[in-house]
Amino acid sequence: MPGPFTLKNLDDVPDSAPDFGLGDVQEARFAAGALDAVDTGFMLQRIRPNARPPMGHRHEAAEEVYLVLRGSGRVKLDDEIVDLRALDALRVSPGVTRAFEAGEEGLDLLAFGPRHEGDGELLQNWWSD
């Protein structure tokens, strides 16, 4: 069991995007382990200006909340596209496929929600024009 608190600067959390061939599109810093989080998933995603990661994803059980820290862009939620700007908070229900796209300034997001081991499905080339 972790101690009563954990402090970690997110820039000190390894960027996983290059491991998935996405280093030219985004950063993905999965911080739950670095924070010793037991029940909460947590990630910083920085999408480069005018970029779109090539996949969407969905969860069977986990509800997620995304907070736009900086920049703007769009998110595709199943068949609906929604504009995003700084300080927008977006809740996404389980079962909804989602993918983000950055605007001219890029898009920095925090994603957090309950951790359910193995509860995630990637869908390659999900967002097509």
Side-chain angles (χ1 to χ4, degrees):
M1 188 73 174
F5 68 89
T6 305
L7 175 65
K8 190 64 136 177
N9 186 291
L10 295 179
D11 281 328
D12 295 334
V13 173
D15 178 10
S16 297
D19 298 341
F20 296 97
L22 298 173
D24 59 333
V25 176
Q26 69 178 30
E27 292 177 27
R29 299 178 186 273
F30 293 91
L35 288 169
D36 301 319
V38 175
D39 298 317
T40 305
F42 188 76
M43 180 187 68
L44 171 63
Q45 184 175 16
R46 291 177 174 143
I47 305 173
R48 305 209 193 296
N50 299 312
R52 176 193 301 162
M55 80 277 289
H57 81 280
R58 65 179 162 225
H59 297 280
E60 185 177 314
E63 173 183 74
E64 286 187 315
V65 174
Y66 297 87
L67 174 63
V68 178
L69 298 175
R70 185 192 67 78
S72 64
R74 304 184 310 161
V75 58
K76 183 177 179 189
L77 303 160
D78 287 336
D79 293 325
E80 188 171 348
I81 296 175
V82 176
D83 290 325
L84 297 171
R85 62 187 175 102
L87 297 183
D88 279 349
L90 171 69
R91 181 199 56 81
V92 181
S93 294
V96 175
T97 303
R98 80 281 323 243
F100 294 88
E101 174 183 69
E104 292 179 6
E105 319 90 38
L107 183 63
D108 291 3
L109 307 160
L110 287 180
F112 47 97
R115 290 177 74 178
H116 300 281
E117 199 63 39
D119 177 32
E121 179 183 4
L122 291 177
L123 294 101
Q124 295 296 330
N125 302 313
W126 181 74
W127 188 345
S128 60
D129 289 323

